[in-house]
Amino acid sequence: KRRLELALAVAHRPSVVFLDEPTASLDVETRAALHDLLRELREQGTTIVLSTHDMAEAESLADHVVILLQGSVVTSGTPKQITAAGSSLTKVSVRTATRCFNGAPFPGIVRSEVQGEYTVYFTDRPAASVSAILDHIEARGTELIDLRVERPKLEERFLELTRNTVVSA
């Protein structure tokens, strides 16, 4: 039924489409197909205004995000701008051929932990941290097997913003 409703809504190639929670209660396959259709419409120049509670969906589909709390704008910008502005930490996961870190201090690291074969660092200065970690690996002459840098997700930033924001009436 939802597919038919959306097909009818876009059949005449509108310049703007308003969608309110279009993927709520959809199965994974149908949700993926809808996301593909939304990307296709955007590429064809259609402006899509999407209301969603799914932050992963907003992060993957949106060019611009507006976060509302009790009807007031808490923040707006690109998903990258919004996630970069928060206090959430960037996760840096490193796997080397031999364990070479042994508690070595790196700039910007707030905490670290070992997760299986990976040493995982949480940093508020990812560029400085990654650079120092790579220098450390090279200085120890060990092989870098894997390095992953994960920015905070929009969902984390959303929770940070909405937990700490009081909207006055």
Side-chain angles (χ1 to χ4, degrees), residues 9 13 15 17 19-20 22 44 56 71 84 93 98 118 121 124 131 138 141 162 167:
R13 302 266 185 225
S15 58
V17 174
L19 300 171
D20 183 20
Q44 294 171 357
S93 303
T98 60
Y118 286 82
Y121 296 99
D124 57 5
S131 179
E138 187 174 329
T162 57
V167 177

Side-chain angles (χ1 to χ4, degrees), residues 34-109:
L34 178 59
H35 287 174
D36 289 343
L37 174 61
L38 295 177
R39 286 184 185 97
E40 184 180 317
L41 288 169
R42 183 178 64 196
E43 288 171 11
Q44 294 171 357
T46 302
T47 298
I48 301 168
V49 179
L50 173 69
S51 170
T52 184
H53 286 90
D54 184 340
M55 293 298 105
E57 180 174 72
E59 190 165 17
S60 73
L61 293 174
D63 297 321
H64 189 87
V65 173
V66 177
I67 295 178
L68 301 172
L69 181 61
Q70 297 175 352
S72 295
V73 174
V74 176
T75 191
S76 71
T78 67
K80 285 184 180 182
Q81 288 170 332
I82 292 172
T83 57
S87 62
S88 298
L89 301 173
T90 297
K91 179 180 174 182
V92 179
S93 303
V94 187
R95 181 175 171 213
T96 54
T98 60
R99 295 216 184 259
C100 67
F101 298 111
N102 300 326
F106 300 114
I109 300 299

